[in-house]
């Protein structure tokens, strides 16, 4: 019997163990990031070794932090020789994006506050007999006070 590290898994079984989709594994193979151990020449079926699970999980973890695929490839190449450098560069990128996001949130808060403070005034001139029930419907629909003045507008 073969040792566990040498046993072959179908792409579906491998995908299930690694929590990656079959489509993702095919893409990783196409771009040279994670190729199968064996591709059957007759039917094109891909098979992976159990020891490739560690690499697939590492790739999934790096993708989970938003690392672009070219950087993932650089991080795992040559036994991870450039891993720390790639991760530190990603840390700098994420912190810059965070600063931009914080600025955008502050801007959004200013816009929302400004819009909350706006008081809308709409003036209609209509006979009072036509307004029966309208104040209640307007208040319910728009959530703002509705005031009617029965007389001359100053």
């Amino acid at each position: 019997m073969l040792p566990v590290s040498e046993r072959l898994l179908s792409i579906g079984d491998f995908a299930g163990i690694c929590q990656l989709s079959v489509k993702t594994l095919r893409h990783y193979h196409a771009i040279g990031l994670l190729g199968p151990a064996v591709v059957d020449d007759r039917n094109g079926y891909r098979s992976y070794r159990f020891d490739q699970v560690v690499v697939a999980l590492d790739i999934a973890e790096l993708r989970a932090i938003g690392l672009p695929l070219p950087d993932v490839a650089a991080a795992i190449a040559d036994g991870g020789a450039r891993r720390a450098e790639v991760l530190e560069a990603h840390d700098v990128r994420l912190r810059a994006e965070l600063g931009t996001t914080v600025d955008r949130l502050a801007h959004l808060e200013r816009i929302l506050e400004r819009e909350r403070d706006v008081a809308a005034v709409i003036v209609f001139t209509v006979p009072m007999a036509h307004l029966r029930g309208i104040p209640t419907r307007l208040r319910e629909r728009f959530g703002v006070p509705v005031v009617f003045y029965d007389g001359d507008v100053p």
Side-chain angles (χ1 to χ4, degrees):
M1 178 181 272
L2 291 172
V4 171
S5 63
E6 296 295 319
R7 292 184 192 159
L8 294 178
L9 300 165
S10 71
I11 192 170
D13 290 341
F14 188 76
I17 291 169
C18 299
Q19 297 296 296
L20 295 169
S21 70
V22 169
K23 182 178 178 181
T24 297
L25 289 172
R26 287 186 180 128
H27 179 65
Y28 289 174
H29 179 208
I31 65 172
L33 185 61
L34 176 62
V38 176
V39 177
D40 190 313
D41 291 333
R42 295 169 298 171
N43 56 24
Y45 285 4
R46 295 166 172 90
S47 298
Y48 293 81
R49 286 188 324 273
F50 193 77
D51 62 354
Q52 289 180 286
V53 169
V54 174
V55 177
L57 293 175
D58 190 28
I59 292 169
E61 183 176 41
L62 295 173
R63 293 295 293 142
I65 62 169
L67 197 65
L69 287 173
D71 291 347
V72 170
I76 66 172
D78 302 321
R82 294 188 47 227
R83 185 182 185 89
E85 172 191 343
V86 169
L87 292 177
E88 287 169 11
H90 189 58
D91 179 69
V92 169
R93 263 193 316 270
L94 286 177
R95 290 181 189 283
E97 290 172 12
L98 178 61
T100 300
T101 300
V102 167
D103 292 344
R104 287 178 179 163
L105 279 170
H107 189 175
L108 174 60
E109 287 171 359
R110 288 190 301 274
I111 291 170
L112 289 171
E113 190 61 35
R114 191 172 60 227
E115 290 186 8
R116 282 186 202 110
D117 291 343
V118 172
V121 176
I122 302 172
V123 177
F124 292 98
T125 305
V126 293
M128 286 300 286
H130 295 157
L131 298 178
R132 217 169 297 124
I134 290 179
T136 303
R137 288 194 301 263
L138 288 173
R139 187 172 29 260
E140 289 170 357
R141 180 159 184 207
F142 297 108
V144 295
V146 178
V147 179
F148 289 92
Y149 176 70
D150 187 13
D152 292 334
V153 177

